[in-house]
Each structure stands twice: as C-alpha cells, then as structure tokens.
Amino acid sequence: MQAKSDVAFPFAETALARSYGDLSEATVAATQAALTDTLACALAGTNAPGVGEARAGFGRQWPGGTVTVWGGFGHAMGPMAAVMNAASLHALDYDDTDDKVPLHANSVLLPALMAYMEERGIACDGKDFLTALAVGIDGAMRIGRAGGPKARKGWNYSVISGGIGTILALGHLGKWDTQTTVDALGHQLAQTSGSLQSIIDGSLAKRFQPAMLAKDTLFAAALAEAGVDGPRNVFEGRAGFWALYQDGEWDRDVMLGGMETCSMVTDLSLKPYPTCRFTHASIDVGIEMHRQGLRPENIKRLKIMPSGQAVNMTGRDFDHTKAGVVDAQFSVAYSTSVALAQGAMKIDDITIDRIRQSPVGAFVAEKVVVEANPEVDFLSMSPVVVEAELTSGEIRRFDGPDVSGSPEKPLTRDQLFDKVTDCLGSNDAAVSAEELMASVDTLPEAASMAPVMDLLARPSTRAKHSAVA
C-alpha cells in the first residue's frame, strides 16, 4: 500500500466523489456551453491543414478499431481516434481557454473522455457524462492555476495541465477507486510534456500537442486499470509535477478549494475568434474601430500595445507572402487588421488563400507596429491600447479594457450560436447548429450519449472526405 501523503490522494478522492447534484445550475450550463463549443470546433477542423494528412498516416499504421473518428471518418483504436479528434478540435485555435493560465481545457480532455467511453462500452447517461466532463475541466484549471504560469519556461500549459484533468474525468466516468486514479495520475506524470516552440516556429505540430497527450491519458488509464502502479508522489515528489513544471511553487488552496462543486468551470472562456487568445482584446478594438467608420485606408500608422506575453506569443513579424496558417493565428497585427478592415474575424480569414490575397497583409507590413505596454501585467490578456495615426494627421486612442468570451464579458447564447454556425458552415459539416446545440441542451434528460455520437459520426459533405476505416 502506498503512503497517502501526496496531495494527489485528496485531489483524486474529491474528484471521484462528485455527483451531478453537486453542480450548480451555472456550472452545468457552463459545462454544456463548453461541450457545444468544443464539438463545433472539432467538426470545423476535420479538414484543416495537417489533420487529413495525419489521419491518413495513422490509418495506415494502426488500422481497425471501434471508436468514432469525428466528422464521419470511420473508426479507429481508442488512442488513435483520440489523437485525430483532438487534432481536429485544436486545429483552428478556436477552442476554449482558461485566461488566467492560459490553457485550452478541453483540447486533451474531451477527445480522450469520449474515446474511453466508446471503447469501453460505458453506458452513461447525459448527467454522468456532464459530471465527468465538469470534473476534468475543473481539475485542469486547478492544476494550471495552482502553480501559476511560468511563461519563461516555455511549457505548453494546455497539455501539461490538461492531461491531469483528463485523468480525473476518466476515473470519474470509469468509477475507479482513489488508488487506481492516483496510479493513473502517476503514469500521466511520466508521459507529460509540451513545448511552446511549435508556436514560436509557426509549425503545424502545435495542433497535435494536445492530441498526443490525449492518447497518453488512455495509455495511463490502461496501465492503472491493469494494476500497474504509478509514481506515488505525483505532485509533491522530488521530481513530481510541482518541482518539474512549477519550480516547486504551488497553492494548495487553489488546487483543492471548491473542488466539491467544480467551481472553476464557470471561469472558463469561450473564444469568439479563431486565433490565439492573446489577440482577442485587440480584435475587439479593431471591430470597434470598424464600427466607428475607420478602415485601413484611413490609417497612416497603427500601434498595438498589449501585454508583454501577448507580444511574445503574437507580436512576431508577419510577412503575408510567406506566412502559414499558424503564423496568422498567432499574429496580433494580422488579426487586428482583419477586424479593422471588415468588422469581424472568421475561420475563412485564416486560410492560405486569404492570407496571400488580402490587402490586409500589405497594410500589416507597412503600417502596423506591435509594442509591449509596460503598464499592463506581463501575462494579462487585457487591457490593450491601440493608437491610430490617421491620414488626416489626427491621432486617436482606443482602449480594450476586457476581452470578449471571458467570464467578465461572456458570449451570449446568440453569439455562441453564430460561432457554431461559422464552425459548421466553414467545413460543410452535415450537422446544423440547431441540431448540435439541441443535442447538448437535452443531455441532462438523455438516457445515453447516443444522440451526440450520432451527430459526430455524420460525414462531411466535402468531396475530399475519406474514412480511416
């Protein structure tokens, strides 16, 4: 028997004890909104650059399986289906964020949880699934926040924190005991990794990092369920999670306080734009400038001043003649200029054809400057200041005090519907926004997850569509 001194034990025990009745109405609603949002993002990304190529490669190497590859691409083994579904989900960088870390809570969690449910044949009702999902979202956010972001290290917090939250969700859905869950957390610790270098280099590998960790969580689950013990001091050990990823600094109250109600789920942000979250406050400003009648042709020089970390993540030089889709997703100059030009930022704006052909690219190269605002906390998403020198000689200042989609400025139901519509329409999905939202809305009364799974299995109407198996 392992000593139970590590915080992994109360962390696991509290998560496993959760029931649907523990969740507030607000937490249930936030979990449903996050599920709707995440599935829409996944169905939008099935044909994104790199995803189809990976799907074909994985299908050749590891054929067969019983788990649905979303978008109607057949079936695969659980870990492979989780990889392919997670890659689709994260490809457009449109999926949810915890702005205080930051991390994409569902990017690892949802594909792994649904693959585990389907491959194991777990007959859960809608309430059971929503509870497990809330447990996982809450757990991932707690791990990210308890240690606080260490931006200088270059860790990708979506994957290192997301994998931990996923284990809690798998354990809850699988009705594991505490020891099995701690063993699985230990196996996940042994596999955890994730670098921001793929973002820095503008590589398509960025969209596969959560996918790799989704696969790993299923391996961790299989080992723990087979009785193979994992490291016992998961978090507080000499080479445990806190020492390895957070310099030994963490807050026990943040990690455990409020777990009884999954209280952090309501603090999750849903993205209004398909770009890095650090660009969103500036996009909000660009849309407001457009609303006030300004256009790129009215501006001699545009100066964008976000936080230091926003500059690190999205302040790179942008050459539209060479940039890839990841470069565009992580360019505050490009995304803000698109918003200024057309009063919106949509999925179709992050395509190679649009990047190459849009006059916005030349505007960015010639007239846009990005500088860190020393008066803004280094890691903050907002506020942002944008200064526009007009061709008339007038200088105007625009402030973005908060960011759309955050708990302080949440997406409305209508805005979420518009996002889901953009996602599904951009990829010719064979699912309507009304159908997807209704299937999630009715989960608390649903006897199974079959209605949702049926929608995910529908094939896209795109001619280039091809199944894995």
Side-chain angles (χ1 to χ4, degrees), residues 40 43-44 347-348 418-429 431-433 461-462:
L43 291 175
I347 291 172
D348 287 345
D418 289 344
K419 175 178 176 176
V420 173
T421 300
D422 182 36
C423 284
L424 302 180
S426 71
N427 197 31
D428 297 329
V431 179
S432 70
T461 56
R462 287 202 171 189

Side-chain angles (χ1 to χ4, degrees), residues 15 18-20 23 31 106 109-110 113 116-117 124-139 165-175 262 265:
R18 300 288 54 81
S19 68
Y20 186 82
L23 310 180
T31 305
N106 271 301
L109 168 57
L110 186 63
L113 184 62
Y116 178 80
M117 175 191 70
C124 69
D125 62 22
K127 287 182 178 179
D128 289 339
F129 186 85
L130 288 172
T131 305
L133 184 61
V135 164
I137 295 171
D138 184 75
T166 300
I167 293 297
L168 296 186
L170 298 180
H172 193 281
L173 197 67
K175 302 187 186 307
C262 298
V265 178

Side-chain angles (χ1 to χ4, degrees), residues 244-319:
L244 195 60
Y245 297 109
Q246 300 288 12
D247 298 336
E249 301 170 359
W250 63 289
D251 188 322
R252 186 183 184 93
D253 290 339
V254 172
M255 184 175 180
L256 300 178
M259 281 191 77
E260 296 82 1
T261 58
C262 298
S263 62
M264 287 198 179
V265 178
T266 56
D267 218 19
L268 190 67
S269 296
L270 303 183
K271 283 183 160 188
Y273 315 117
T275 57
C276 175
R277 186 63 168 155
F278 277 104
T279 69
H280 285 203
S282 298
I283 294 173
D284 284 344
V285 172
I287 290 172
E288 174 59 22
M289 292 171 70
H290 180 94
R291 190 190 69 79
Q292 293 188 27
L294 291 176
R295 302 292 185 270
E297 56 267 27
N298 305 133
I299 295 175
K300 180 178 180 181
R301 184 172 182 268
L302 190 71
K303 185 177 181 181
I304 305 169
M305 293 176 284
S307 70
Q309 182 65 350
V311 173
N312 286 347
M313 296 284 287
T314 68
R316 68 191 70 191
D317 291 337
F318 186 81
D319 181 349

Side-chain angles (χ1 to χ4, degrees), residues 139-222:
M141 293 174 71
R142 288 180 185 282
I143 294 302
R145 293 185 180 196
K150 302 288 190 299
R152 68 183 184 280
K153 293 288 188 180
W155 294 120
N156 184 323
Y157 285 93
S158 295
V159 294
I160 67 172
S161 302
I164 298 297
T166 300
I167 293 297
L168 296 186
L170 298 180
H172 193 281
L173 197 67
K175 302 187 186 307
W176 298 347
D177 60 23
T178 300
Q179 185 61 59
T180 302
T181 307
V182 172
D183 284 334
L185 287 169
H187 289 304
Q188 188 57 33
L189 170 68
Q191 303 176 93
T192 292
S193 61
S195 164
L196 293 177
Q197 194 61 43
S198 60
I199 296 174
I200 296 168
D201 289 346
S203 165
L204 289 176
K206 194 269 182 187
R207 54 192 51 175
F208 291 96
Q209 287 191 272
M212 297 304 180
L213 266 289
K215 161 186 62 66
D216 291 346
T217 64
L218 296 177
F219 289 157

Side-chain angles (χ1 to χ4, degrees), residues 385-423:
V385 174
V386 177
E387 289 183 355
E389 181 182 354
L390 306 187
T391 53
S392 65
E394 179 187 1
I395 296 178
R396 296 182 61 181
R397 170 182 167 131
F398 298 86
D399 293 298
D402 45 30
V403 55
S404 293
S406 65
E408 296 77 25
K409 193 178 179 181
L411 295 187
T412 65
R413 173 83 175 183
D414 287 344
Q415 288 173 321
L416 179 59
F417 180 86
D418 289 344
K419 175 178 176 176
V420 173
T421 300
D422 182 36
C423 284

